[in-house]
Amino acid sequence: MSNFTIHDFLKKKKDGKKITMLTAYDYPFARILDEAGIDAILVGDSLGMVVQGLDNTLPVTMDEMIYHTKMVTRGVQNAMVIGDMPFMSYHTGIDDAVRNAGRFLKEAGASAVKMEGGAEIVDHIKAMARADIPVMAHIGLTPQSIHRMGGYKVQGKTEEAANRLIEEAHAVEDAGAFSLLLEAIPMSLSRLISADLSIPTIGIGAGPHCDGQILVLHDVIGLFERFVPKFVKKYADVKMDALSAIREYKDDIEKGIFPAEEQSFK
Ligand code: KIV
């Protein structure tokens, strides 16, 4: 059970303090994020790309999401854990949506779920609210809609598209979402939406005016290099550090340096 709750999300917005989020998919990184004081961890279906090596998030299953969410919740003491509803876990109807969302709380120990969508998930959000399952909605670039969108493109650039996103933001707030993730939209639009809503907005590629920020962990620490979006800031090069450590280990074995006496039993 985490200490940071949906009430802290709202309080941080009221107090004008930024909400800090990252994704994580396993126990060791969940522990590191928690120790660093990150407010909330999203077990994102981005794990399909950065952990499973898939081309997109569509094949990720509910069972895989539960498996990874369990590992993450075991690693945290303070951060709130949010499970990401994968493709086809809520598109087939409200009952399926509530049942699958419930699995994140019941089986994996998450405190909330995230769902991609605006107006089309209003009834899902209401049903989840009735089941006491807090929902973070996700609009703008929604990677599960990659085929409809024709690729990973910035959304809300025309006046009509921007107005639609503003309407969707209000619709999910009115339905009972506790927060709203805004992905890849112009910063002027996210500023407007963030000022308009009373629930906090969390941005990824949505500029500095959101109430909080999230990035994919593997992008931030340099563990995923196949595709790095413009909005990513890389804070470490863990791949290069791991590569040189493993090369040194291999070298030591080949030269007879490892194991030495201190790693051996007498
Ligand atoms: O799946 C994910 O990690 C996400 C982030 C990109 C916000 O939805």
Side-chain angles (χ1 to χ4, degrees), residues 4-13 19 80 200 202:
F4 198 85
T5 70
I6 61 168
H7 303 283
D8 299 303
F9 259 80
L10 297 169
K11 185 168 181 328
K12 274 206 151 181
K13 173 157 182 148
I19 298 160
M80 178 175 156
I202 306 296

Side-chain angles (χ1 to χ4, degrees), residues 23 25 42 44-46 84 114 116 138 181 183 204 214 216:
T23 66
Y25 317 100
L42 172 71
D45 64 355
S46 51
D84 202 6
K114 176 176 83 59
E116 293 185 11
H138 176 170
L181 195 144
E183 178 162 356
I204 174 163
I214 185 167
V216 168

Side-chain angles (χ1 to χ4, degrees), residues 70-110:
K70 278 181 179 173
M71 290 190 256
V72 169
T73 53
R74 277 181 217 131
V76 303
Q77 283 180 339
N78 289 303
M80 178 175 156
V81 177
I82 302 170
D84 202 6
M85 299 280 286
F87 183 57
M88 280 299 137
S89 64
Y90 56 98
H91 309 69
T92 50
I94 305 230
D95 287 351
D96 285 349
V98 175
R99 202 171 298 115
N100 283 322
R103 288 188 65 193
F104 278 105
L105 276 64
K106 199 174 169 75
E107 293 174 38

